[in-house]
């Protein structure tokens, strides 16, 4: 099983630490056996990592950890070079990208994480059905990520989403992997996992001492939460 398969495996909940900005933090997460890291290539993010800096350390990490490139409406411009340089393993679309862009990545055998914000439970079945149909017609590796809805803000808000609603979405979407983001910290990770049973947790501010600087004690606590959670059904 490669690092992407291990990260998205439904066998047990995984952990992605997002907003990595330095080779030191990346290596520290590898040493702790964190399954995945996220590198934010959106210039307006507090955790922005310039592509030229990312290219200095990410290629050497290939095969040691799943490397997720996080893009906000700029994947078409940046992802091809990063993929060609073997700097990232997955592309996370966290903006207003359309299905055409997602399908184009799947057609190139690029694993994709599509970020979604939950707004109304009335539309959950139709949203799940949309991505199930898309994947049926365009096979590939696709996961969904649920984040807090904040108009004009693309992730990293630290706001907790409605876990009851998230749990309903995750049950409807099974076996499609769904990651849970939004306001997860060591103190609530156990509850988040118990109520929603996601394929994994995606944590940025909840694993930091300051934006872009990882707190490895918090990382250890989050790892324990995922490792002791009940296996997914």
């Amino acid at each position: 099983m490669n690092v992407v398969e291990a990260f998205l495996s439904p066998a047990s909940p995984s952990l992605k630490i997002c907003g990595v900005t330095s080779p030191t933090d990346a290596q520290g997460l590898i040493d702790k056996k964190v399954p995945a890291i996220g590198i934010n290539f959106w210039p307006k993010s507090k955790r922005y990592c310039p592509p030229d800096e990312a290219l200095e350390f990410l290629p050497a990490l290939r095969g040691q950890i799943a490397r997720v490139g996080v893009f906000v409406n700029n994947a078409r411009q940046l992802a091809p070079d990063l993929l060609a340089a073997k700097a990232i393993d997955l592309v996370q679309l966290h903006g207003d990208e359309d299905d055409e862009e997602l399908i184009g990545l799947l057609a190139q055998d690029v694993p994709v994480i599509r970020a979604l914000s939950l707004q109304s439970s009335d539309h959950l079945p139709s949203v799940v059905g949309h991505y199930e149909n898309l994947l049926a017609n365009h096979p590939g590796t696709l996961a969904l990520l649920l984040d807090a809805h904040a108009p004009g803000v693309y992730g990293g808000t630290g706001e907790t989403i409605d876990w009851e609603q998230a749990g309903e979405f995750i049950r409807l979407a099974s076996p499609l992997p769904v990651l849970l983001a939004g306001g997860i910290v060591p103190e609530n990770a156990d509850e988040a996992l118990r109520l929603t049973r996601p394929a994994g947790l995606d944590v940025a501010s909840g694993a930091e001492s300051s934006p872009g600087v990882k707190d490895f004690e918090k990382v250890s606590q989050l790892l324990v939460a995922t490792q002791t959670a009940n296996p997914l059904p």
Side-chain angles (χ1 to χ4, degrees):
M1 183 182 296
N2 64 36
V3 292
V4 173
E5 293 169 340
F7 167 44
L8 298 178
S9 170
S12 60
S14 191
L15 177 64
K16 170 174 168 262
I17 299 297
C18 204
V20 173
T21 59
S22 74
T24 301
D25 278 356
Q27 187 59 55
L29 295 169
I30 290 171
D31 293 343
K32 282 194 170 291
K33 302 189 186 307
V34 171
I37 56 173
I39 304 89
N40 198 319
F41 295 110
W42 185 42
K44 293 183 180 180
S45 171
K46 292 181 289 187
R47 301 168 183 87
Y48 174 59
C49 184
D52 57 343
E53 293 182 14
L55 286 168
E56 291 178 1
F57 70 92
L58 286 180
L61 308 183
R62 185 183 183 195
Q64 300 178 65
I65 195 167
R67 303 156 302 168
V68 182
V70 180
F71 302 92
V72 176
N73 304 326
N74 59 355
R76 280 195 173 102
Q77 293 77 32
L78 299 179
D81 287 345
L82 291 162
L83 288 163
K86 310 296 183 186
I88 57 174
D89 303 295
L90 304 94
V91 168
Q92 180 171 317
L93 300 177
H94 214 102
D96 307 308
E97 301 88 358
D98 57 20
D99 286 346
E100 180 184 354
E101 185 166 354
L102 192 162
I103 290 167
L105 290 164
L106 294 177
Q108 298 173 63
D109 203 28
V110 175
V112 179
I113 298 172
R114 183 65 179 109
L116 306 172
S117 60
L118 293 181
Q119 299 179 52
S120 169
S121 59
D122 296 341
H123 302 300
L124 297 188
S126 62
V127 173
V128 169
H130 173 78
Y131 286 101
E132 287 177 339
N133 291 335
L134 185 151
L135 196 56
N137 291 307
H138 306 279
T141 299
L142 173 65
L144 302 177
L145 182 147
L146 301 181
D147 204 352
H149 176 62
V153 180
Y154 297 97
T157 65
E159 295 293 324
T160 303
I161 67 175
D162 184 330
W163 288 341
E164 182 176 343
Q165 190 180 65
E168 181 183 354
F169 182 94
I170 289 165
R171 287 188 291 275
L172 287 170
S174 179
L176 189 63
V178 181
L179 306 171
L180 182 69
I184 298 168
V185 295
E187 292 77 12
N188 65 16
D190 288 329
E191 184 180 10
L193 289 162
R194 178 175 57 83
L195 292 177
T196 66
R197 300 176 71 80
L201 299 179
D202 188 309
V203 184
S205 61
E208 292 180 332
S209 56
S210 62
V213 180
K214 301 312 166 187
D215 181 321
F216 285 89
E217 178 56 35
K218 292 178 181 179
V219 171
S220 294
Q221 294 173 34
L222 291 162
L223 273 173
V224 168
T226 59
Q227 291 166 352
T228 59
N230 291 329
L232 299 179

